[in-house]
Amino acid sequence: MNPTERHVPVLFKEAIEFLNVSPSGTYVDCTLGLAGHAEGIARRLGPKGHLVGFDRDPEALALAKARLDRVCEELGSQAPKVTLIGEAFSTIARHLEAASVNGLLADFGVSSLQFDEAYRGFSFQADGPLDMRMDTRSGPDAAQVVNEVSERELADLIYEYGEERRSRRIARAIVRGRPVMSTGQLARIVAQAAPAMKQDRIHPATRTFQALRIYVNSELDEIKALLEAAPKLLKPSARLAVISFHSLEDRIAKDSLREGARQGIWEILTRKPVTAGEEEMDRNPRSRSAKLRAAERTAISL
Ligand SMILES: C[S@@+](CC[C@H](N)C(=O)[O-])C[C@H]1O[C@@H](n2cnc3c(N)ncnc32)[C@H](O)[C@@H]1O
């Protein structure tokens, strides 16, 4: 099966509703992935509309392009303009003019394509090389981090980005186990150093893998840069919708929107984050940790 077909976008209906798509507007999907949300936006746009999509993963970008090409072919003369950009979304202000955007969506984290393919190295469920880079064209991969940074740095990053209390013990075991070259080897080292406790519902390596992934991809800095750039790019009454998957991401979104609201830049539309309903959680386990926050840009100029 084509990966775009088995993929289920998280909080799809809710995210699209918050964007309030107007057929002739410009909408940005900062995290195309397999283009589930992007297809929803494209189908609500008309020929005067413009969909701009980002993904820094070349493989995801190619699949998103193929899917959106099919949608546009089907829509024929009613299809919107589509522009795809294979760069990190932190570069957004270089690609779009101030006050030119009607809606912006970001669905953070890893796509099912990245997670499910062992060779991408994101998952401990299947053995693969320790890569974890979303942008496979550049930057150090997880193997370099695991094998080259000091034990102290490793412990700090596992603590900070994985919220892992047993980070020192885990870092010590990793350093002793070097060279660590595969996801399976790393998962075993972590599980031995910090075995699952009775109350744990997650695999003992989950937090360490999350930490490495966030570090390798500078994920939190990316989110901060995007949320800083967004107010300038959005028109008055334009909407922002962001979906996060763990507390570190959600905290950045919550704090940034609250601070913006205090300055009169945002009107917050979700006093509490929107979460998936029972039915979606049953259908798509990934949606269990998803939190959607949305805001509307006020008319205040920057
Ligand atoms: C959760 S998936 C998005 C799924 C998408 N909403 C869909 O419906 O298929 C996140 C995607 O965003 C991309 N991504 C994550 N951080 C990024 C960043 N800073 N810049 C550009 N793309 C990023 C990842 O490569 C991944 O493909």
Side-chain angles (χ1 to χ4, degrees):
M1 203 197 307
N2 178 325
T4 56
E5 284 164 25
R6 67 166 186 253
H7 166 70
V8 194
V10 169
L11 292 169
F12 176 82
K13 193 168 141 282
E14 294 84 348
I16 299 287
E17 262 168 27
F18 273 118
L19 287 179
N20 199 15
V21 178
S22 115
S24 55
T26 296
Y27 292 81
V28 185
D29 183 346
C30 299
T31 51
L32 280 168
L34 299 174
H37 289 105
E39 173 171 348
I41 297 171
R43 289 193 181 278
R44 283 159 182 81
L45 288 170
K48 290 197 181 128
H50 188 187
L51 168 67
V52 180
F54 283 83
D55 205 300
R56 59 177 158 175
D57 178 342
E59 220 177 319
L61 196 78
L63 285 166
K65 180 175 182 316
R67 179 170 187 170
L68 293 169
D69 282 351
R70 281 198 300 276
V71 172
C72 288
E73 204 177 294
E74 186 195 311
L75 295 173
S77 63
Q78 296 309 301
K81 178 178 169 191
V82 175
T83 307
L84 302 185
I85 300 166
E87 287 182 39
F89 56 57
S90 56
T91 66
I92 191 167
R94 283 190 229 146
H95 301 277
L96 288 150
E97 287 186 14
S100 67
V101 175
N102 297 77
L104 189 151
L105 171 70
D107 171 17
F108 299 127
V110 181
S111 76
S112 47
L113 170 79
Q114 292 160 339
F115 200 74
D116 293 348
E117 301 294 355
Y119 68 90
R120 300 297 304 266
F122 283 96
S123 168
F124 46 78
Q125 312 283 9
D127 203 15
L130 262 183
D131 190 331
M132 298 199 198
R133 286 169 305 162
M134 290 181 182
D135 184 346
T136 44
R137 298 162 299 189
S138 65
D141 62 13
Q144 275 166 280
V145 176
V146 159
N147 290 303
E148 290 170 21
V149 309
S150 69
E151 182 180 323
R152 174 82 189 265
E153 256 182 290
L154 201 52
D156 287 349
L157 79 88
I158 294 171
Y159 182 76
E160 191 180 344
Y161 300 133
E163 301 186 290
E164 169 61 85
R165 280 178 296 116
R166 296 181 288 178
S167 60
R168 308 238 159 262
R169 206 191 293 180
I170 293 171
R172 200 175 319 127
I174 292 174
V175 169
R176 282 199 193 131
R178 281 174 178 171
V180 184
M181 300 314 289
S182 75
T183 55
Q185 187 190 355
L186 178 62
R188 283 192 297 278
I189 291 174
V190 176
Q192 266 166 20
M197 296 201 267
K198 252 198 208 129
Q199 70 277 18
D200 282 350
R201 278 183 309 161
I202 54 173
H203 185 284
T206 305
R207 293 195 185 88
T208 300
F209 272 66
Q210 173 186 305
L212 286 168
R213 199 199 86 200
I214 292 176
Y215 182 81
V216 164
N217 296 293
S218 307
E219 289 181 30
L220 304 183
D221 288 342
E222 280 289 312
I223 297 174
K224 284 181 198 152
L226 175 67
L227 293 171
E228 226 172 273
K232 283 196 197 73
L233 302 175
L234 294 181
K235 294 178 180 177
S237 302
R239 296 281 182 87
L240 171 87
V242 293
I243 303 172
S244 55
F245 289 89
H246 53 76
S247 54
L248 298 171
E249 287 174 346
D250 186 55
R251 201 171 311 147
I252 295 172
K254 182 175 75 181
D255 292 350
S256 168
L257 291 182
R258 284 204 181 146
E259 177 56 22
R262 204 187 55 76
Q263 294 172 11
I265 297 168
W266 297 119
E267 187 194 324
I268 294 177
L269 304 173
T270 45
R271 212 171 48 80
K272 281 193 176 155
V274 175
T275 53
E278 284 293 323
E279 199 255 327
E280 177 169 3
M281 286 191 198
D282 286 346
R283 217 174 356 109
N284 182 10
R286 197 178 127 71
S287 69
R288 284 176 190 278
S289 49
K291 286 188 175 157
L292 167 66
R293 293 186 186 269
E296 184 168 300
R297 181 72 172 84
T298 62
I300 201 171
S301 52
L302 293 172

